[in-house]
Amino acid sequence: MEICRKHLFELPDGLIYMDGNSLGPLPRAVPEAVAHVVRGEWGAHLIGGWNADGWMDQPRHVGDLIAPLIGAPAGSVTMGDTLSIKVHQALSAALEMRPDRRLILSDEGNFPTDLYMAQGLIRQLGKGHELRLVPPDAVEAAIDETVAAVMLTQVDYRTGRMHDMARLTRAAQAAGAVTIWDLAHSAGAVPVDVAGCGAEFAIGCTYKYLNGGPGAPAFIHVRPDLADTIRPALAGWLGHAAPFDFDPAYRPAPGVARMRVGTPPVLQMTALQVAMAVWDGVEMGALRDRSVALSERFIAGVEATCPGLTLASPREAAQRGSQVSFRFEHGYAAMQALIARGVVGDFRAPDIMRFGITPLYLDESDVDRAIAVLADVMERRLWDDPVHRRRQAVT
Ligand SMILES: *Cc1c(COP(=O)(O)O)cnc(C)c1O
């Protein structure tokens, strides 16, 4: 089946969107479905919607739509909150599973919020835990019997460098450490086999490659054989075994449902649920082949025409996720110049120009056009304009 399905997305005419790794575009079916939930369910049924319209089951139902994309079994994924909260939930549970160990191992390229959540949790626990950051390629060697949790983001948000999930999970488990994989830049981007590698926890967001929209809920997977044993630190009423008993004492729900916290964001969850339909018939191996082919084409084209840019992503496809990054001293201004000409990527400090490769709505002609516009921006120094240097809050 054809991987490219641009017609399912609302993409402004003439725009080449290479920022789906940051915020996926709007699937065309979403507005009507959300409007229906607003008027036909909330408007018509009011409080009755929780029962009549299945709102309360959405986190499980949508989790089951995400599960196949990350290689997790049905019933092992639940939805809610944002990814930062899921980091806290997974890490706090992991540390409780290894009460005699004090080390959290991560890498220097990890996304700041993951590291901040760890720092805050360490302070709150007050038990002398330590967050140790090593270069990405030194993670495996740093795993030993003192490590409680190995907390990694599989694909580096800046460079696109990709960890070998199976290998590092094996190494962690051999040393008795618990693994937490952040799949923010993996879910919907590369094939993932959470069950195959046996990771204890996997978490991720859904507004990037999964196109769930700004503020879409995050996902969390807990390995099924552990899910009934973990003790949630954020013990919310909707993760209780019987929320409507209103029992003053917390008793966790069976399975991953205990990772639910509070009221699900029904409208956001609806947008995500409908957005997941664009994956019907998409085989992740085939998507990956397309992603690699488009990435190689983009790298070759940019390197042939833009001598001022330096590849920041691994050159070898097997070590790259589904994005390509280049370093350029004036990268922010160059990206602004590019966006002004209809090619949308983004910028990450200090000097990274980032381009998401999303085969669902990008093809060779888009990539070629993006290369040509970028070459023009560089050749004619179109970035060298005060208008493009003015920093906005979101880069
Ligand atoms: C995008 C991203 C986040 C964002 O977290 P939110 O709580 O959804 O804002 C966190 N971690 C990683 C690795 C990310 O790539």
Side-chain angles (χ1 to χ4, degrees):
M1 197 181 278
E2 185 60 55
I3 294 291
C4 194
R5 39 196 66 193
K6 262 188 223 194
H7 61 285
L8 296 180
F9 294 91
E10 195 76 44
L11 287 162
D13 261 353
L15 189 83
I16 297 170
Y17 194 64
M18 300 181 79
D19 213 2
N21 54 314
S22 203
L23 179 71
L26 172 66
R28 282 192 199 278
V30 166
E32 202 182 309
V34 171
H36 171 75
V37 173
V38 171
R39 290 194 184 285
E41 297 184 0
W42 176 20
H45 305 152
L46 295 110
I47 191 80
W50 289 109
N51 288 320
D53 300 309
W55 295 344
M56 208 38 106
D57 290 333
Q58 268 185 333
R60 181 174 54 84
H61 179 64
V62 176
D64 280 345
L65 300 176
I66 307 277
L69 286 185
I70 60 166
S76 70
V77 177
T78 192
M79 311 297 301
D81 320 296
T82 77
L83 178 48
S84 303
I85 303 295
K86 299 294 137 187
V87 172
H88 183 282
Q89 288 186 294
L91 186 59
S92 54
L95 296 181
E96 228 182 301
M97 287 164 65
R98 293 294 180 273
D100 52 337
R101 298 186 182 195
R102 289 291 176 273
L103 202 56
I104 303 163
L105 181 65
S106 191
D107 74 54
E108 290 162 353
N110 205 347
F111 193 85
T113 205
D114 298 47
L115 305 178
Y116 301 162
M117 294 308 284
Q119 291 160 17
L121 180 61
I122 288 170
R123 183 163 37 79
Q124 192 183 20
L125 289 173
K127 289 184 180 164
H129 285 92
E130 179 200 338
L131 173 64
R132 182 171 300 164
L133 301 181
V134 299
D137 56 7
V139 170
E140 187 168 359
I143 297 172
D144 63 25
E145 268 80 27
T146 65
V147 177
V150 178
M151 180 185 82
L152 296 168
T153 298
Q154 188 193 12
V155 178
D156 186 296
Y157 73 104
R158 268 182 298 218
T159 63
R161 178 205 40 75
M162 183 161 66
H163 278 303
D164 184 335
M165 227 175 121
R167 185 186 171 106
L168 290 176
T169 302
R170 241 185 342 264
Q173 290 177 345
V178 178
T179 51
I180 300 162
W181 284 103
D182 187 328
L183 303 176
H185 294 272
S186 308
V190 296
V192 179
D193 187 7
V194 159
C197 74
E200 284 85 352
F201 297 94
I203 53 182
C205 50
T206 60
Y207 46 80
K208 292 172 180 165
Y209 294 87
L210 299 179
N211 314 307
F219 66 82
I220 182 164
H221 157 86
V222 182
R223 208 175 69 197
D225 63 304
L226 296 172
D228 282 337
T229 66
I230 60 154
R231 305 202 314 160
L234 300 179
W237 75 300
L238 290 184
H240 190 278
F244 285 86
D245 284 0
F246 296 101
D247 183 350
Y250 180 73
R251 190 159 47 85
V256 74
R258 65 186 57 195
M259 294 310 226
R260 290 180 60 163
V261 182
T263 303
V266 172
L267 301 181
Q268 294 273 194
M269 202 87 80
T270 300
L272 173 60
Q273 180 176 336
V274 174
M276 290 307 293
V278 304
W279 295 93
D280 285 351
V282 175
E283 199 271 302
M284 284 308 293
L287 179 118
R288 173 67 174 165
D289 291 346
R290 290 284 301 145
S291 159
V292 168
L294 293 171
S295 299
E296 303 275 271
R297 190 182 183 97
F298 187 61
I299 292 170
V302 173
E303 290 194 323
T305 55
C306 307
L309 302 189
T310 313
L311 184 66
S313 300
R315 189 166 294 280
E316 204 183 318
Q319 289 170 20
R320 225 173 32 228
S322 202
Q323 70 175 65
V324 173
S325 304
F326 288 95
R327 290 185 199 283
F328 176 48
E329 189 191 346
H330 306 286
Y332 180 79
M335 185 54 77
Q336 294 307 306
L338 206 56
I339 293 169
R341 287 159 182 83
V343 178
V344 179
D346 62 18
F347 172 80
R348 287 294 174 263
D351 60 355
I352 298 246
M353 299 175 73
R354 227 171 38 151
F355 300 89
I357 305 293
T358 48
L360 295 188
Y361 49 87
L362 280 180
D363 60 20
E364 278 78 1
S365 67
D366 298 317
V367 166
D368 291 350
R369 175 102 191 99
I371 295 164
V373 176
L374 181 54
D376 189 44
V377 164
M378 295 302 292
E379 165 81 27
R380 296 165 56 208
R381 294 175 62 97
L382 298 174
W383 49 266
D384 197 3
D385 180 331
V387 165
H388 296 321
R389 273 197 224 103
R390 206 173 304 126
R391 288 277 175 121
Q392 306 198 64
V394 176
T395 63

